[in-house]
Amino acid sequence: MNEQSFDELLESVRDMGHHMRGELVQGVRTREFPEPDVKAIRERTGLSQTRFAYLIGVKPKTLQNWEQKRVRPTGPARALLKIIEVNPDALAAIHVREV
């Protein structure tokens, strides 16, 4: 590694440290994605925790942890919650066969 590459790498590590401490870093764009209010989203649907969890494909305990903010939903679950937040009637399109 040449000296210029090393200096650039060292500078980027320093920038990362500033960013992680919440300090502004020149030239770095950040985006914030607000945490979904899972309880409010579920309550807007009028469904119980058990039924809501069943329809979105998670265990009721997982839903409870999200609602109590002990754990954050991630990935596809977060995307699905966003869809339901914008359009609570989207759950009506989910047809789950009772067993």
Side-chain angles (χ1 to χ4, degrees), residues 3 12 17 20 29 45 66 78 88 93:
E3 191 170 327
S12 69
M20 290 179 71
R29 292 185 298 163
T45 67
W66 291 346
R78 194 171 174 138

Side-chain angles (χ1 to χ4, degrees), residues 15-84:
D15 286 346
M16 181 182 63
H18 292 296
H19 176 71
M20 290 179 71
R21 289 188 296 276
E23 301 167 6
L24 292 178
V25 180
Q26 179 121 0
V28 174
R29 292 185 298 163
T30 60
R31 294 188 180 169
E32 291 189 25
F33 297 96
E35 290 294 319
D37 185 345
V38 179
K39 186 174 183 178
I41 294 168
R42 178 187 60 80
E43 287 177 343
R44 282 186 59 207
T45 67
L47 296 172
S48 68
Q49 284 182 332
T50 302
R51 187 68 180 151
F52 187 85
Y54 179 71
L55 286 173
I56 66 170
V58 299
K59 295 179 180 177
K61 188 67 175 173
T62 299
L63 181 67
Q64 291 167 1
N65 284 330
W66 291 346
E67 288 190 2
Q68 296 299 316
K69 300 187 188 312
R70 288 188 289 258
V71 181
R72 305 172 13 173
T74 60
R78 194 171 174 138
L80 181 57
L81 288 167
K82 182 66 178 169
I83 291 167
I84 297 167

